[in-house]
Amino acid sequence: MSMLLFLDSLPHYTAVCSLLASSMMFSISCKGSIIVWTLVIQLVMCGRAVFATDATGSCKLKSESESERKVLNRLEALTHKNFTAEHTIGKETYTYVFQLCGDAGGVKDAGVIQIDKKSPKTPTVIGKYTATQAIGGSDWVMLIYRDGEAYDQHCSKEPRKANIMISCNRNTDMGQLEVVVEDRNRSTDCFYLFELDSSAVCPAIESHLSPGSIILIIAFVLLALYLVGGFLYQRLIVGAKGMEQFPNYAFWVEVGNLTADGCDFVCRSQNREQAPAYRGVTTESLEEEPEERDDHLLPM
């Protein structure tokens, strides 16, 4: 129902889509492919025209400010959806319906309504989105709808007010609406308090990667592309088999051999050729032995 009301509030977009539809009927006489493409283009244009509108723009702030408008824009993901919750007070059971910047339960201008099971056809307006106040923190948003129907007997018969606390929960996009309290036991400033969890109000997770880490990631990605691309090229284009499928195989084999030779030259603990043993030189002078003569062995 909320989507239909939203579309009805865009008469100029409806007129554009009607004109486009009539132009499509004119193109029926053309070939089938032209009709199909025309239909696709028209649907895309109509869809962009409808959803380009800021959904939170329907909320009217009590005092228009840029900061509150930014808070509302954080809740864009919660629009066009009715959130319901039941609450029992004594013997009375109520159903509450909340919609962000839209007609809750189809009630015009109502952001939050209360439905009594005894008389469901006459809902009570708790707050209107035409009187909105938005307060936001780092991981929460307090949405306040004012100008609801006046109390009959409580709170000096002042208008009702709904406070919706939307808290960060990264595990859910749209949580369940819960009724916390209806504080009406005071003379003034009474309110209804609701809670809702959503990841829409969670702060963005900042990246803690250092420049060095980013460089390493880029290097690994480039290396992977080089290996995969080179492998496919060698296998599919060149027709290589086995290890020859590795890109620039001959070059990398040569690099490996040179690296091994360099490591062997620098880090080897023993030399390849053993040096001759070192012998010390005595300090005493070597006396020349007298020349032996064998003259006495000769026959006389």
Side-chain angles (χ1 to χ4, degrees):
M1 182 181 294
S2 59
M3 180 60 71
L4 293 176
L5 292 174
F6 177 71
L7 294 176
D8 291 340
S9 63
L10 302 173
H12 53 288
Y13 293 133
T14 305
V16 172
C17 293
S18 299
L19 291 175
L20 291 174
S22 62
S23 64
M24 185 188 71
M25 296 298 295
F26 178 75
S27 62
I28 291 178
S29 58
C30 300
K31 295 182 180 180
S33 59
I34 299 177
I35 296 176
V36 172
W37 280 110
T38 304
L39 177 61
V40 171
I41 295 173
Q42 290 169 353
L43 291 177
V44 171
M45 293 179 63
C46 291
R48 288 183 177 179
V50 171
F51 291 104
T53 304
D54 185 7
T56 58
S58 300
C59 280
K60 296 180 181 179
L61 298 173
K62 292 286 288 185
S63 57
E64 185 70 32
S65 66
E66 184 178 356
S67 60
E68 290 193 42
R69 187 58 64 180
K70 288 182 178 179
V71 173
L72 279 176
N73 291 337
R74 293 170 57 184
L75 305 176
E76 188 76 23
L78 302 180
T79 55
H80 309 304
K81 179 177 176 59
N82 281 326
F83 297 89
T84 60
E86 287 191 358
H87 185 59
T88 301
I89 303 176
K91 297 181 180 180
E92 299 177 348
T93 301
Y94 299 99
T95 300
Y96 295 90
V97 182
F98 157 67
Q99 186 172 156
L100 178 67
C101 301
D103 297 336
V107 179
K108 183 174 176 56
D109 296 338
V112 178
I113 61 174
Q114 181 190 60
I115 302 175
D116 190 350
K117 286 193 174 182
K118 296 179 180 179
S119 55
K121 294 183 179 181
T122 57
T124 302
V125 178
I126 305 300
K128 297 181 179 181
Y129 63 85
T130 54
T132 303
Q133 183 180 0
I135 305 171
S138 60
D139 59 351
W140 59 271
V141 169
M142 174 67 79
L143 193 66
I144 303 175
Y145 286 156
R146 301 180 183 272
D147 294 350
E149 295 184 20
Y151 285 97
D152 296 330
Q153 299 176 357
H154 305 282
C155 301
S156 304
K157 298 183 180 181
E158 69 177 7
R160 289 177 171 84
K161 177 178 64 175
N163 297 344
I164 302 95
M165 171 61 75
I166 305 174
S167 304
C168 168
N169 187 348
R170 297 188 184 277
N171 297 324
T172 179
D173 295 333
M174 300 179 185
Q176 183 67 34
L177 182 68
E178 297 181 2
V179 182
V180 179
V181 67
E182 177 189 356
D183 191 356
R184 62 182 184 179
N185 297 322
R186 56 173 69 190
S187 58
T188 57
D189 201 20
C190 298
F191 61 89
Y192 293 76
L193 180 60
F194 303 89
E195 282 186 346
L196 179 66
D197 292 338
S198 175
S199 60
V201 297
C202 294
I205 300 177
E206 297 181 359
S207 175
H208 298 285
L209 294 177
S210 62
S213 300
I214 296 175
I215 293 175
L216 287 177
I217 292 174
I218 295 175
F220 280 120
V221 171
L222 293 177
L223 178 62
L225 291 176
Y226 167 74
L227 293 176
V228 174
F231 174 82
L232 294 176
Y233 176 81
Q234 291 291 109
R235 183 178 181 84
L236 302 178
I237 305 301
V238 179
K241 301 294 183 181
M243 294 299 295
E244 296 294 333
Q245 299 175 92
F246 193 87
N248 303 111
Y249 175 74
F251 169 77
W252 291 115
V253 168
E254 184 67 21
V255 170
N257 292 335
L258 292 176
T259 303
D261 293 342
C263 182
D264 182 69
F265 178 78
V266 175
C267 304
R268 191 175 178 86
S269 59
Q270 295 181 356
N271 296 330
R272 295 184 180 182
E273 297 180 0
Q274 186 175 1
Y278 176 78
R279 298 178 181 180
V281 181
T282 59
T283 57
E284 299 179 358
S285 59
L286 298 177
E287 296 180 358
E288 184 178 352
E289 297 181 359
E291 183 179 356
E292 295 183 358
R293 298 180 179 277
D294 296 333
D295 296 342
H296 63 284
L297 296 177
L298 297 175
M300 295 301 295

